[in-house]
Amino acid sequence: MSVRKIPQQLVPLALIFAVALAALFIARKLLVPATFGDIGYYRAAAVGEIASQPIAYAGSRACLDCHDDVDQIKRQSKHRSVSCEVCHGDAAKHVEAPDQVKPIKPIGRGYCPLCHGYDPARPTGFPQINPDVHNPGRACMSCHNAHNPMLPHAPEECAACHRQIASQKTVSRHATLTCTTCHETPEGHRSTPNLIPAEKPKTKELCGRCHAQGADSPPEIPRVDLETHGGRYVCWDCHYPHFPEAAR
Ligand code: HEC
Ligand code: HEC
Ligand code: HEC
Ligand code: HEC
Ligand code: HEC
Ligand code: HEC
Ligand code: HEC
Ligand code: HEC
């Protein structure tokens, strides 16, 4: 009886298989970390290694010893849920040596919009702004307090928004007149000026209140004949009301 010969193409195949098998064993020995498998599909040594890394964050409680004043304020504020180190960065080194290591202070305009910049994914009602148009050019902190971010009131003084007119009036003969002497200004104009406009005078009788011949006003105020002076024009066609001058 003759044994059937092994097909000769199997010999190189078997060889390749043997080499691959050997390579796998060598790779396992060389590449798989020593403690892999000790506690399941993990590298057991990783736990100790991570635990031995220096701790960078101290946690909010660590700040209380020395900055209780800040915490007292923040605790009552809308930022109560935002931890100190979210804004000030890892501060463990600072806790150890407060005088040598200072935490960062995010005082520019770049940081706050990470939470407050418009993003449709944020919850409805979350306070959001577009940093490109929301009071550009000034640090957020010049109007908002990071530890107590209340919404500041819009400026109420007329001069806060109409600076140039107010400055001109200050050095004019009308310096003592308040803006509202001549402008009826609804309360809402001070906070939403584009929706609620202020009134502009319409007739020369306004000026006549002080400048007409028989007007009930202090005698040192110069008088004109309201009927004839200026003809058919309104007074402010010739006199700028915020800096009135009489050409002499
Ligand atoms: C052991 C006391 C101590 C602890 C704990 C401590 N700080 Fe301070 N911190 C200081 C001192 C002291 C200063 C310096 C005050 C100064 O310069 O007027 C300071 C200053 C700061 C400043 C201002 C830095 C600057 O450049 O003006 C920040 C921000 C700050 N700490 C944040 C933190 C945070 C966040 C924590 C908690 C993780 C913390 N601190 C924990 C003592 C401490
Ligand atoms: C929303 C971000 C934010 C959070 C949260 C925050 N801070 Fe601040 N903190 C700032 C900014 C911004 C400044 C700088 C203010 C400035 O210069 O006008 C600052 C300033 C400070 C200062 C310097 C002194 C001062 O009042 O200006 C200390 C100290 C401080 N923070 C501690 C803390 C501690 C402690 C906590 C947690 C209880 C905390 N901060 C939480 C943003 C934050
Ligand atoms: C980690 C996210 C986070 C960061 C960073 C952050 N805030 Fe806030 N901010 C909040 C949360 C949360 C609220 C409360 C939202 C609410 O009431 O629904 C809030 C509320 C506010 C409000 C609205 C207060 C009100 O009365 O409606 C202002 C203004 C504000 N933050 C300003 C700032 C400024 C300025 C900075 C930068 C120093 C800053 N925030 C950084 C999370 C953040
Ligand atoms: C010139 C002052 C000023 C500056 C600078 C400023 N804000 Fe404001 N911010 C205001 C005023 C005033 C309001 C209230 C507006 C209102 O009532 O409609 C406000 C409102 C907000 C609100 C609430 C928006 C809402 O609809 O609830 C957030 C959040 C805010 N600001 C964040 C910021 C951030 C972040 C920066 C810096 C990038 C910044 N602000 C810079 C004056 C300022
Ligand atoms: C918060 C900013 C702000 C404050 C505060 C403010 N104004 Fe204005 N005012 C504006 C803006 C913006 C306009 C331009 C509105 C427009 O173009 O429709 C305006 C327009 C006017 C106009 C011109 C109306 C027109 O028909 O052309 C008058 C008059 C005026 N303001 C008077 C006042 C007086 C008086 C006060 C104080 C009692 C005042 N404003 C306070 C922002 C303000
Ligand atoms: C003596 C009365 C008088 C006083 C006081 C006065 N205004 Fe006027 N103002 C006018 C008249 C009249 C006009 C209309 C001018 C026109 O239509 O050409 C005007 C126009 C304006 C306008 C429209 C833009 C412009 O320059 O024409 C603004 C804004 C304005 N006033 C703001 C103010 C503010 C803010 C103050 C206070 C700082 C003030 N006014 C004080 C009489 C006055
Ligand atoms: C509430 C009173 C009052 C009203 C209203 C008023 N003025 Fe006057 N006006 C004065 C006073 C006060 C002076 C300064 C008198 C002085 O210098 O002793 C003055 C001075 C003037 C002068 C003289 C300036 C100079 O160089 O001599 C002119 C012109 C003038 N006003 C125009 C106007 C016009 C135009 C209006 C209407 C838009 C107006 N005034 C509304 C009180 C008023
Ligand atoms: C056509 C331009 C014109 C008009 C319109 C006009 N004025 Fe005059 N106003 C003048 C000139 C020019 C002078 C200086 C010469 C003079 O005294 O007649 C003057 C002078 C004045 C003086 C100073 C008088 C003095 O004795 O010092 C007052 C006050 C005055 N005008 C108020 C008004 C009032 C109020 C109105 C609206 C009823 C008005 N003007 C309309 C051109 C005008």
Side-chain angles (χ1 to χ4, degrees):
M1 274 213 17
S2 66
V3 183
R4 277 195 81 176
K5 265 186 102 183
I6 307 165
Q8 68 175 18
Q9 65 270 34
L10 272 192
V11 176
L13 252 183
L15 216 65
I16 291 173
F17 193 70
V19 169
L21 211 64
L24 188 70
F25 275 111
I26 295 169
R28 246 188 91 105
K29 273 268 166 275
L30 288 183
L31 297 180
V32 176
T35 54
F36 181 82
D38 288 2
I39 49 169
Y41 275 93
Y42 297 103
R43 187 168 64 87
V47 178
E49 270 170 35
I50 290 168
S52 70
Q53 274 178 11
I55 294 170
Y57 288 87
S60 285
R61 281 162 184 279
C63 316
L64 301 187
D65 287 345
C66 308
H67 297 297
D68 192 47
D69 51 336
V70 177
D71 183 68
Q72 289 297 335
I73 295 166
K74 189 177 80 70
R75 184 191 294 257
Q76 321 278 340
S77 84
K78 295 255 181 173
H79 272 171
R80 58 184 165 270
S81 64
V82 185
S83 254
C84 309
E85 286 166 300
V86 169
C87 292
H88 289 296
D90 50 0
K93 291 215 174 82
H94 168 67
V95 170
E96 278 166 25
D99 291 326
Q100 276 129 51
V101 188
K102 296 266 187 262
I104 50 167
K105 289 192 287 186
I107 48 176
R109 287 181 63 88
Y111 185 72
C112 313
L114 293 180
C115 283
H116 289 294
Y118 268 125
D119 182 342
R122 296 201 207 284
T124 322
F126 186 81
Q128 296 173 65
I129 49 106
N130 175 352
D132 293 339
V133 298
H134 182 74
N135 302 300
R138 292 176 58 184
C140 313
M141 242 53 62
S142 60
C143 301
H144 301 286
N145 183 331
H147 300 148
N148 185 16
M150 283 188 300
L151 291 188
H153 292 294
E156 307 247 303
E157 293 292 312
C158 311
C161 302
H162 298 291
R163 164 65 51 208
Q164 205 184 349
I165 290 175
S167 308
Q168 271 178 312
K169 191 174 74 62
T170 306
V171 292
S172 83
R173 305 290 283 272
H174 276 171
T176 54
L177 275 56
T178 60
C179 307
T180 45
T181 310
C182 302
H183 296 286
E184 286 219 24
T185 316
E187 197 47 46
H189 177 72
R190 298 165 187 240
S191 48
T192 48
N194 290 312
L195 293 177
I196 306 176
E199 290 283 322
K200 282 199 294 190
K202 292 188 182 68
T203 64
K204 60 181 176 184
E205 272 65 39
L206 168 83
C207 314
R209 261 164 45 200
C210 297
H211 291 293
Q213 292 296 358
D216 178 21
S217 63
E220 67 273 17
I221 294 179
R223 311 291 158 140
V224 292
D225 183 347
L226 214 55
E227 296 301 318
T228 57
H229 181 82
R232 59 193 171 83
Y233 300 98
V234 280
C235 315
W236 44 94
D237 282 340
C238 296
H239 302 285
Y240 185 51
H242 309 131
F243 196 109
E245 279 175 296
R248 275 179 230 278

